[in-house]
Amino acid sequence: MDARLRLLILGGTTEASALARGIAGRCDLAPVLSLAGRTRNPLAPPIPFRIGGFGGVAGLRDYLVGERVRIVVDATHPFASQMSRHAAEACGALGVPLAALTRPAWTPREGDRWTSVADMDGAAGALGARPRNVFLTVGALQLGAFADAPQHRYIARTIDPPAADLGTAMHRLILARGPFGVAEEIALMRDEGIEVLVTKNSGGAATEAKIEAARALGIEVVMVERPAPEDVPCFHAVDDVLAWIETHRAAP
Ligand code: NAP
């Protein structure tokens, strides 16, 4: 019988990649990293991996049973709430221990001018009636929420191209993947005459420069806050989640 601990990591983030690197080569674990399949050419992870959805809660339950998964780490993005909810339901039903590994949210500092909102519709509403120059960094799939506020001039930056109709609704579309530098972000916001930045509270260092740039320029930030997390143990550091995994090694 295989004595290694069968571990499923739900990934698609730098945190999941860091965890994968942290356990690569360990003989006491039998991990598998799960990716949704959104990135066209993902770098091959240093541990075994699978790609694609499970087929909802029922599909995930079948996978956990079929693969004899003993422990699950949800290292998905803080805004990937459906996957996290499915993991909580499936693991809860089967009694499989589940913890989250995520980056801390950004919190406002002195000089920040944040308007916090719950979702994209709230962000579009928070821009107000007066036309403004808006920098959208919310992801290609979220641009539709701003179609109802066409009075603004939108500069959108996305990793993947948005749907054609959403792209043309933007005054300017920038296709780029971070990390970006603070000086670069300041120059962009200045050149475009940006008056307000709209962003998700993703947290993490890779995209934090835009927050620092907005602070330096005194630009308002409409911050879309994270969906409520699942009620599971939550860690921000790989070492902490590894320690948590150890506490479950002896469990039947
Ligand atoms: P989501 O809305 O929570 O999930 C939608 C569906 O995608 C899930 O029900 C599941 O399909 C599948 N899925 C999501 N993550 C998966 C994973 N790690 N492994 C296998 N299937 C997965 O997620 P999303 O917001 O579309 O994000 C998709 C992926 O991109 C996530 O892995 C996330 O970590 C990553 N990501 C998201 C964001 C963001 O802003 N949302 C940013 C950066 C990276 P089934 O129901 O068929 O199982």
Side-chain angles (χ1 to χ4, degrees), residues 113-132 134 136 145-146 148-149 151-152 154 195-199 220-224:
R113 296 173 52 218
W114 287 15
T115 302
S116 289
V117 296
D119 52 30
M120 284 305 152
D121 289 338
L127 295 174
R130 177 178 67 81
R132 302 165 87 185
V134 183
L136 292 179
F146 298 90
D148 289 341
Q151 69 274 29
H152 304 296
Y154 294 108
E195 297 170 275
V196 54
L197 163 71
V198 184
T199 177
E220 183 191 347
V221 177
V222 173
M223 185 64 75
V224 182

Side-chain angles (χ1 to χ4, degrees), residues 13-34:
T13 58
T14 51
E15 291 71 30
S17 300
L19 177 56
R21 282 195 303 277
I23 59 174
R26 274 180 59 167
C27 302
D28 56 335
L29 297 174
V32 61
L33 173 65
S34 178

